[in-house]
């Protein structure tokens, strides 16, 4: 019957295949029965016995598991598992065998996935039989803990959290937290940590759930106590962290400041296992990421900043770990410690200058970051560049440590060929390194940054477009005319218009900021407007006519004010009646910021000391500008009042 099943293989090669597989006689017999045509009226009990024999033969034997998969056992087992005519006992045994196959190699799991095992097992969960459900769940768990299984086969994000929530998951799981079984309590705790992660709806509900008269946060806090197993402490801390980040628990609540944060710092100690140190540091990084006060508290708790330096020295000595298997495991996963340390340093240094200084002064810190930028692990590179980005917010460090270690070199290298998630953070860091007071600005320019940044502005990724134009804006600030010309040449007029019509307001604002920086100092203004004046004036007109917010229109009017400050460039405004009418309109706008920017345009156009000022004054007086200036000179806004009076003085001089 085995030969009947393998009809597609020539008889000679079939014998060779069986010999090479070296199946035991019991497995061979089971296979013969199972792979017989199921249309035969084989008694279910006989089929069950054969499946049971198969189960016993493959337990702990990866070779036999692989043999059965090669023979095509998986499709037949799934067929039996899904047949309503199969007995519950047979379906359960099939699920058990499939689960055993999944416990073999990663290739086994891939084979199971290729046969679409997930939908079949999920369908099995609808059965009324608990033993069959348990067998399906065990098999699903084994498959999903394998690194080769895509998570999105089951969970694709917040939508699935919401589905579980809407089906009463919180209420049905909550009482399990007080179960007498430790395993049950832990699984319930883990479920809550996943449900609450980045989900305000679930977190807000959890904070008010009562179990045996106690609120869930109180139960979680009890599970944080030092006498509880480390696994329980960590998972409870993750639950409270998610609830805090979702706004369900205040950041200054004692359960966060006095319980959760200290617990996570304890997990970073060098006497904890590698996995515990990694999870503790990453959870702590998430907890304090956006809160300045928590960052300060964490930085002075148990010498955390110095403690994290040990993450880069692991393992410090072979003798410290007597278990050879543990040592081998930790050596393979030591990069996870470095990744976790970089993440936590990034969160610690996100806001406070003193904390950044302490981090950078930690032993060999800048060298470790530079090395991290070129590690083989993409996760370590990403964490290292996040840490660098956090520290790059320091003016002092940009002028000293960043220059001493030439961090711009590995950063530029990283930007040449990296996935988007790294490019986003690396380009954000580059924005800071291109600020006018950064010594790194000049060498970055010389390394061909303009071409790279111009290419980023064409990315489909929004964050990359924003960062590309942001970096160019910083680069153009108080830059030489050659650099400004190179930027305009690299962007091209077409791309500039594309950016000015971008649907994202951040892209538009940064592009306007770039134009404003390009159009600064009179010689530069006149030069750029002589070559790109028509296109720039067209863009300005479109924005002022469009449905944009106050900030966008204010920035656009400031660009016009810069153009009006040029020697020859101002004629592009004076000869454009449409633009003049728009300036007049915004002088009488209800928003003081727009009035101020429009009045600055007028002031620059009529300045007495410049050639042709009388003619410009006369034209603007005929438009009624002087009357508007008189009204504005009575404004309750002191800045607007002063600006209007300054403009009026040009008429009186």
């Amino acid at each position: 019957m085995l030969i009947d099943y393998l009809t597609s293989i020539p008889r000679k090669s079939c014998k060779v295949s069986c010999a090479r597989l070296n199946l035991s006689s019991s497995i061979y017999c089971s296979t013969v029965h199972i792979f017989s045509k199921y249309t035969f009226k084989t008694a279910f009990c006989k089929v069950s016995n054969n499946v049971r024999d198969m189960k016993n033969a493959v337990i702990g034997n990866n070779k036999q598991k692989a043999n059965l998969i090669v023979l095509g056992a998986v499709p037949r087992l799934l067929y039996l598992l899904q047949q309503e005519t199969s007995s519950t006992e047979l379906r359960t045994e099939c699920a058990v065998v499939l689960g055993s196959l999944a416990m073999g190699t990663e290739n086994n799991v891939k084979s199971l996935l290729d046969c679409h095992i997930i939908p079949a097992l999920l369908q099995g969960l609808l059965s009324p039989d608990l033993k069959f459900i348990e067998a399906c769940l065990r098999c699903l768990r084994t498959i999903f803990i394998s690194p080769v299984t895509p998570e999105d086969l089951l969970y694709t994000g917040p939508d699935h959290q919401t589905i579980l929530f809407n089906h009463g998951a919180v209420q049905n799981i909550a009482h399990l937290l007080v179960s007498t079984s430790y395993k049950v309590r832990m699984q319930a705790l883990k479920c809550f940590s996943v449900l609450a992660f980045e989900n305000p709806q679930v977190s807000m509900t959890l904070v008010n759930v009562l179990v045996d008269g106690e609120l869930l946060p109180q139960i979680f806090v009890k599970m944080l106590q030092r006498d509880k197993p480390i696994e329980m402490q960590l998972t409870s801390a993750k639950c409270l962290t998610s609830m805090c980040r979702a706004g369900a628990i205040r950041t200054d609540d004692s359960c966060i400041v006095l319980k959760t944060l200290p617990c996570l710092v304890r997990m970073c100690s060098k006497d904890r296992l590698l996995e515990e140190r990694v999870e503790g540091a990453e959870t702590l990084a998430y907890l304090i990421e956006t809160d300045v006060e928590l960052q300060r508290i964490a930085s002075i708790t148990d010498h955390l900043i110095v403690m994290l330096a040990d993450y880069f020295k692991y393992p410090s000595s072979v003798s410290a770990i007597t278990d050879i298997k543990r040592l081998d495991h930790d050596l393979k996963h030591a990069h996870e410690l470095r990744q976790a340390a970089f993440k936590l340093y990034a969160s610690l240094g996100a806001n406070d200058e003193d904390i950044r200084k302490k981090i950078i002064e930690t032993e060999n810190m800048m060298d470790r970051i530079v090395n991290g930028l070129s590690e083989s692990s993409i996760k370590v590179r990403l964490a290292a560049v996040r840490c660098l980005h956090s520290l790059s917010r320091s003016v002092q460090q940009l002028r000293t440590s960043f220059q001493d270690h030439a961090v711009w070199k590995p950063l530029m290298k990283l930007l040449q060929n990296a996935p988007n998630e790294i490019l986003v953070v690396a380009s954000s860091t580059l924005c800071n390194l291109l600020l006018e007071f950064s010594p790194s600005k000049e060498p970055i320019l010389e390394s061909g940054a303009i071409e790279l940044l111009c290419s980023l502005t064409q990315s489909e990724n929004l964050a990359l477009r924003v960062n590309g134009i942001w970096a160019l804006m910083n680069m153009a600030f108080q830059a030489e005319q050659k650099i400004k010309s190179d930027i305009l040449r690299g962007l091209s007029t077409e791309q500039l218009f594309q950016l000015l019509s971008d649907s994202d307001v951040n892209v538009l604002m940064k592009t306007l900021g770039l134009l404003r920086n390009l159009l600064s100092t009179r010689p530069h203004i006149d030069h750029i407007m002589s070559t790109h004046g028509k296109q720039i004036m067209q863009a300005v007109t479109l924005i002022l006519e469009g449905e944009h917010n106050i900030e966008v229109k204010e920035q656009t009017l400031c660009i016009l004010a810069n153009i009006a400050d040029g020697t020859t460039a101002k004629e592009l405004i004076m000869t454009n009646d449409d633009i003049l009418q728009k300036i007049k309109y915004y002088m009488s706008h209800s928003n003081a910021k727009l009035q101020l920017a429009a009045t600055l345009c007028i002031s620059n156009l009529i300045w007495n000391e410049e050639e042709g000022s009388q003619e410009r004054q006369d034209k603007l007086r005929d438009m009624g500008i002087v009357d508007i200036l008189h009204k504005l000179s009575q404004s309750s806004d002191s800045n607007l009042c002063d600006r209007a009076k300054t403009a009026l003085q040009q008429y009186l001089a």
Side-chain angles (χ1 to χ4, degrees):
M1 292 182 184
L2 178 62
I3 302 300
D4 289 339
Y5 177 73
L6 299 171
T7 51
S8 62
I9 303 177
R11 291 183 181 273
K12 290 182 181 180
S13 62
C14 181
K15 292 178 182 178
V16 173
S17 298
C18 290
R20 186 169 62 249
L21 291 174
N22 194 24
L23 295 174
S24 65
S25 58
S26 61
I27 293 293
Y28 181 81
C29 291
S30 296
T31 306
V32 169
H33 286 294
I34 292 301
F35 292 112
S36 62
K37 293 181 180 178
Y38 197 59
T39 52
F40 292 176
K41 295 182 179 179
T42 307
F44 271 120
C45 61
K46 189 174 183 181
V47 177
S48 296
N49 289 336
N50 289 332
V51 174
R52 195 176 297 113
D53 291 341
M54 186 186 299
K55 175 187 70 176
N56 295 332
V58 299
I59 291 175
N61 192 327
N62 281 345
K63 185 176 181 181
Q64 296 289 32
K65 291 175 184 179
N67 289 343
L68 282 176
I69 290 173
V70 170
L71 282 174
V74 176
R76 184 58 66 177
L77 287 168
L78 286 173
Y79 174 78
L80 293 172
L81 182 141
Q82 296 177 87
Q83 288 302 300
E84 293 183 2
T85 53
S86 297
S87 68
T88 302
E89 181 186 3
L90 174 58
R91 297 171 75 189
T92 302
E93 291 291 350
C94 288
V96 171
V97 175
L98 289 166
S100 181
L101 295 177
M103 288 182 183
T105 65
E106 291 182 358
N107 285 333
N108 288 8
V109 177
K110 288 178 181 177
S111 298
L112 293 172
L113 293 172
D114 290 342
C115 291
H116 307 291
I117 189 173
I118 302 296
L121 293 173
L122 290 175
Q123 189 66 30
L125 300 182
L126 299 176
S127 168
D129 188 86
L130 290 178
K131 286 189 176 180
F132 178 52
I133 291 174
E134 184 179 352
C136 289
L137 285 171
R138 287 182 183 277
C139 187
L140 280 167
R141 181 181 182 277
T142 303
I143 290 170
F144 275 103
I145 61 175
S146 170
V148 301
T149 305
E151 291 182 4
D152 59 4
L153 285 175
L154 189 58
Y155 298 109
T156 55
D159 289 346
H160 289 84
Q161 289 175 316
T162 303
I163 290 170
L164 289 170
F165 174 79
N166 290 338
H167 282 78
V170 171
Q171 292 75 14
N172 287 311
I173 295 170
H175 72 280
L176 299 177
L177 288 170
V178 293
S179 168
T180 55
S181 167
Y182 171 77
K183 287 186 177 180
V184 172
R185 293 200 304 276
M186 272 310 306
Q187 294 308 318
L189 196 56
K190 288 179 179 179
C191 188
F192 279 131
S193 75
V194 172
L195 277 174
F197 182 67
E198 294 185 344
N199 194 311
Q201 183 185 23
V202 173
S203 295
M204 291 295 184
T205 301
L206 290 182
V207 81
N208 294 312
V209 171
L210 279 171
V211 180
D212 286 355
E214 273 191 301
L215 290 170
L216 270 189
Q218 295 172 333
I219 294 175
F220 293 152
V221 168
K222 285 184 176 180
M223 292 177 165
L224 283 176
Q225 294 174 0
R226 291 172 183 259
D227 61 340
K228 295 294 189 289
I230 297 298
E231 178 188 31
M232 180 172 281
Q233 292 183 48
L234 255 175
T235 312
S236 300
K238 289 175 73 173
C239 290
L240 290 164
T241 293
S242 292
M243 293 166 73
C244 179
R245 284 299 305 269
I249 300 176
R250 289 168 56 95
T251 56
D252 59 356
D253 192 294
S254 61
C255 76
I256 297 297
V257 177
L258 302 179
K259 299 293 183 180
T260 307
L261 188 149
C263 171
L264 292 171
V265 173
R266 287 200 306 274
M267 297 302 138
C268 299
S269 171
K270 62 182 177 183
D271 60 354
R272 299 260 57 89
L273 293 176
L274 180 145
E275 296 89 340
E276 295 163 358
R277 297 173 76 187
V278 169
E279 194 168 4
E282 292 191 340
T283 306
L284 182 56
Y286 180 57
L287 174 65
I288 68 174
E289 186 178 19
T290 59
D291 190 89
V292 180
E293 191 56 33
L294 287 180
Q295 290 160 12
R296 289 172 181 158
I297 294 170
S299 70
I300 58 174
T301 302
D302 292 348
H303 306 287
L304 178 63
I305 291 176
V306 176
M307 189 193 302
L308 286 177
D310 289 331
Y311 277 47
F312 299 96
K313 305 172 185 176
Y314 190 84
S316 55
S317 65
V318 175
S319 59
I321 304 177
T322 55
D323 186 337
I324 299 301
K325 285 187 177 179
R326 165 54 65 173
L327 176 61
D328 181 60
H329 169 273
D330 285 5
L331 286 171
K332 290 179 180 177
H333 293 270
H335 67 279
E336 294 177 16
L337 278 173
R338 297 192 292 276
Q339 172 193 340
F342 282 136
K343 281 185 178 180
L344 185 45
Y345 275 136
S347 289
L348 284 166
N351 295 285
D352 191 279
E353 185 68 18
D354 290 335
I355 296 176
R356 292 189 194 115
K357 188 172 183 291
K358 289 178 183 176
I359 292 172
I360 288 178
E361 289 175 352
T362 302
E363 180 185 357
N364 300 324
M365 190 62 211
M366 292 306 295
D367 289 333
R368 284 168 178 157
I369 293 174
V370 169
N371 291 335
L373 295 175
S374 57
E375 279 213 26
S376 58
S377 167
I378 186 173
K379 290 184 177 180
V380 175
R381 294 203 304 275
L382 179 58
V385 77
R386 278 181 175 159
C387 182
L388 187 67
H389 178 237
S390 181
L391 299 176
S392 72
R393 296 180 179 130
S394 166
V395 174
Q396 180 62 29
Q397 301 309 327
L398 283 175
R399 288 174 171 163
T400 54
S401 300
F402 276 54
Q403 182 65 9
D404 295 342
H405 292 81
V407 296
W408 65 270
K409 290 182 179 179
L411 186 66
M412 287 298 292
K413 185 178 180 181
L414 194 64
L415 282 161
Q416 301 301 323
N417 185 23
N420 278 359
E421 58 181 342
I422 286 182
L423 279 178
V424 169
V425 188
S427 55
S428 290
T429 309
L430 192 64
C431 287
N432 292 342
L433 266 63
L434 285 169
L435 290 168
E436 75 277 6
F437 50 75
S438 170
S440 302
K441 182 173 182 177
E442 188 174 340
I444 290 173
L445 282 168
E446 293 171 355
S447 68
I450 291 177
E451 183 181 353
L452 170 68
L453 295 172
C454 288
S455 68
L456 289 183
T457 67
Q458 300 177 37
S459 172
E460 293 182 2
N461 183 290
L462 172 59
L464 288 179
R465 290 204 306 281
V466 170
N467 288 346
I469 200 68
W470 195 341
L472 289 170
M473 181 185 79
N474 288 349
M475 187 182 287
F477 184 74
Q478 295 183 352
E480 298 174 0
Q481 184 171 306
K482 180 185 181 303
I483 293 171
K484 293 181 178 181
S485 298
D486 289 344
I487 291 173
L488 280 170
R489 194 178 303 111
L491 269 183
S492 78
T493 305
E494 182 182 353
Q495 178 59 14
L496 191 61
F497 266 93
Q498 190 72 30
L499 292 166
L500 288 170
S501 59
D502 198 289
S503 59
D504 184 80
V505 69
N506 288 322
V507 173
L508 178 55
M509 282 294 287
K510 294 298 181 289
T511 307
L512 291 171
L514 169 63
L515 271 177
R516 190 174 175 183
N517 287 348
L518 290 171
L519 295 166
S520 62
T521 73
R522 287 182 178 175
H524 297 177
I525 294 169
D526 290 336
H527 175 75
I528 290 172
M529 292 305 291
S530 68
T531 55
H532 297 82
K534 182 180 178 181
Q535 296 90 338
I536 290 174
M537 294 302 290
Q538 184 181 349
V540 165
T541 303
L542 288 172
I543 293 171
L544 290 177
E545 288 178 348
E547 295 295 325
H548 296 290
N549 62 35
I550 297 297
E551 287 72 22
V552 168
K553 296 206 171 181
E554 179 191 15
Q555 188 81 301
T556 307
L557 287 168
C558 287
I559 290 171
L560 274 180
N562 283 13
I563 295 171
D565 194 40
T567 303
T568 57
K570 55 169 49 79
E571 288 307 312
L572 288 167
I573 296 177
M574 291 305 301
T575 56
N576 190 325
D577 290 339
D578 186 27
I579 286 289
L580 288 174
Q581 288 297 330
K582 285 179 170 54
I583 294 172
K584 178 183 177 181
Y585 166 77
Y586 284 109
M587 288 178 72
S588 301
H589 198 276
S590 58
N591 185 277
K593 288 183 178 179
L594 297 183
Q595 288 179 295
L596 184 63
T599 303
L600 178 60
C601 292
I602 296 297
S603 185
N604 286 347
L605 288 172
I606 63 176
W607 204 255
N608 261 324
E609 299 171 1
E610 297 170 7
E611 185 179 349
S613 61
Q614 188 61 53
E615 290 81 1
R616 292 190 291 274
Q617 288 180 9
D618 292 343
K619 181 172 182 177
L620 293 173
R621 180 189 286 107
D622 293 341
M623 287 178 59
I625 295 297
V626 174
D627 294 335
I628 298 174
L629 287 173
H630 278 296
K631 289 180 182 178
L632 294 179
S633 67
Q634 306 300 316
S635 172
S636 58
D637 185 296
S638 58
N639 290 329
L640 181 56
C641 175
D642 291 344
R643 178 59 64 187
K645 287 178 179 178
T646 300
L648 283 171
Q649 287 173 4
Q650 304 307 308
Y651 278 97
L652 300 174

